[in-house]
Amino acid sequence: MPIRSQEARQFAIDKLAQIQKGNQFQPPSEEGTLLFPGFDGGGEWGGAAADPEGIMYINSSEMPWIMTMNKVIKGQKEDMATIGKNVYKAACISCHGANLEGSNLYGNVPSLVNLKDRIDKPQLIKTLKNGKGVMPSFGTLSENALNALSAYLLQTEEKDNNKDVAATWPYPYTFGGYKRFIAPDGLAAINPPWGQLSAIDLNLGEIKWQVTLGNVESIKIAGITQTGTENYGGPIVTAGNLIFIAATTDSKIRAFDKSTGKELWSAKLPAPGFSTPATFSKNGKQFIVTAAGGGKIGQRSSGYYVAYAL
Ligand code: HEC
């Protein structure tokens, strides 16, 4: 339970009272199921770093998410645009938003408002079948579902007004979207740490050390010096016994002592470095470079690569 404010605490208490409780293997539910770690980890696509002695260094987000399922009502007859809206709710809402407004969940997910002014039906179907950038392909949707989506998104007239919902979405439930368990203040509805860096001894199967990664400076919680932050992007470990990692929402890149986890250095990036740094040497001089693209989870964006050298 968060102790940082009465508001955050009450939010968490109320929400937990509503959702499903049980063991680890409960199927997802309509009332909601808490996932911890969440859809994005724990550790995630940034990966881990490892050294030849068999120590693995990996960052993790400590962010709970809530998964909900929505029931599809069988035999319900609707016009194509309404069915399209249901397909949208099932397959697209998690990224493009409840009102087609887009989101910054995966970089910049574009708004689909007034889509008909920008693309026609063949282009839409092509985008859906092939996917685009981080948007996955929806080639497995039926022709019916694709036509219904087109009717909804391009507001085209469809003569047949009496389609069975279940014919376009043959599954009993739709997925309610990727939702973090965050309090009204925008932070995880749990106590810190919200992000950590761990060294795991693979020879022993033991955690060698574990430290918080990143800090939400706007918040002071009694007894907590570093909150850690949600993080995307991984670490590297060098022969000079250093770990370099950005990944945090506080837009910093840091160096840690690989044997103790002590933070040795940090620098401010123009936006969060949701990336894994690289190291290279040129003319005998070693560099560290990282992409500071930001953009995710409501963070500012930038187009910078930032490089450091001694
Ligand atoms: C995982 C997140 C995600 C999901 C789910 C998703 N999209 Fe997208 N969509 C994106 C992203 C990101 C882009 C931008 C891709 C690019 O330009 O690189 C995009 C682009 C599009 C575009 C092109 C918009 C334009 O202005 O050119 C359309 C149309 C679209 N999506 C429709 C849909 C529909 C319909 C669904 C559901 C069947 C859907 N998307 C599901 C992330 C998603």
Side-chain angles (χ1 to χ4, degrees):
M1 289 292 129
I3 56 165
R4 63 182 177 271
S5 72
Q6 190 50 42
E7 192 193 24
R9 189 173 181 80
Q10 199 56 49
F11 171 86
I13 290 171
D14 292 347
K15 191 76 194 173
L16 285 177
Q18 288 161 19
I19 65 174
Q20 166 179 263
K21 279 158 225 61
N23 67 36
Q24 200 175 359
F25 303 105
Q26 298 275 358
S29 64
E30 286 174 85
E31 50 290 14
T33 304
L34 191 78
L35 296 187
F36 191 75
F39 282 113
D40 284 9
E44 32 74 45
W45 54 255
D51 63 25
E53 294 90 68
I55 312 294
M56 183 174 88
Y57 307 93
I58 185 159
N59 51 309
S60 55
S61 286
E62 320 292 324
M63 170 59 81
W65 297 55
I66 289 184
M67 165 170 54
T68 51
M69 304 300 287
N70 304 321
K71 210 177 198 116
V72 171
I73 300 157
K74 291 248 179 218
Q76 194 179 329
K77 305 272 191 217
E78 299 282 11
D79 64 84
M80 283 298 264
T82 309
I83 294 177
K85 191 170 181 182
N86 288 333
V87 178
Y88 178 86
K89 278 198 211 154
C92 327
I93 199 169
S94 55
C95 289
H96 287 283
N99 302 306
L100 308 174
E101 71 275 22
S103 73
N104 50 28
L105 192 62
Y106 291 92
N108 292 319
V109 180
S111 153
L112 300 179
V113 174
N114 295 330
L115 190 65
K116 66 175 187 318
D117 301 341
R118 298 198 296 281
I119 64 175
D120 60 14
K121 185 170 173 184
Q123 285 172 305
L124 173 64
I125 303 287
K126 189 167 168 245
T127 302
L128 293 175
K129 287 196 165 158
N130 297 345
K132 197 176 182 193
V134 294
M135 173 171 144
S137 155
F138 289 91
T140 54
L141 286 179
S142 66
E143 282 307 310
N144 262 337
L146 293 174
N147 287 333
L149 270 174
S150 164
Y152 171 57
L153 292 172
L154 303 178
Q155 296 155 22
T156 46
E157 293 297 322
E158 290 283 342
K159 298 232 162 37
D160 188 352
N161 266 357
N162 203 22
K163 292 274 185 197
D164 187 339
V165 176
T168 53
W169 191 257
Y171 313 105
Y173 292 93
T174 62
F175 171 54
Y178 296 97
K179 305 237 167 66
R180 290 171 173 79
F181 181 37
I182 49 176
D185 61 10
L187 298 165
I190 55 168
N191 265 343
W194 297 322
Q196 299 193 91
L197 179 65
S198 305
I200 300 170
D201 187 329
L202 300 177
N203 305 299
L204 303 172
E206 283 172 4
I207 294 177
K208 198 174 162 206
W209 51 256
Q210 192 163 52
V211 295
T212 50
L213 181 63
N215 193 28
V216 179
E217 275 151 25
S218 61
I219 193 161
K220 297 271 173 291
I221 306 173
I224 294 170
T225 49
Q226 285 235 317
T227 61
T229 78
E230 196 176 6
N231 52 83
Y232 289 88
I236 56 169
V237 58
T238 70
N241 293 333
L242 295 173
I243 298 162
F244 288 96
I245 182 165
T248 51
T249 57
D250 60 9
S251 300
K252 283 188 177 167
I253 180 169
R254 294 176 164 86
F256 291 88
D257 181 325
K258 79 160 194 181
S259 45
T260 62
K262 185 168 186 270
E263 188 177 316
L264 300 174
W265 168 82
S266 73
K268 195 86 180 168
L269 296 164
F274 294 146
S275 57
T276 301
T279 181
F280 61 94
S281 76
K282 187 164 164 41
N283 301 332
K285 197 173 174 98
Q286 191 173 6
F287 294 86
I288 298 286
V289 63
T290 206
K296 232 178 134 54
I297 42 177
Q299 300 297 317
R300 61 173 300 181
S301 296
S302 97
Y304 284 94
Y305 284 92
V306 186
Y308 301 88
L310 287 178

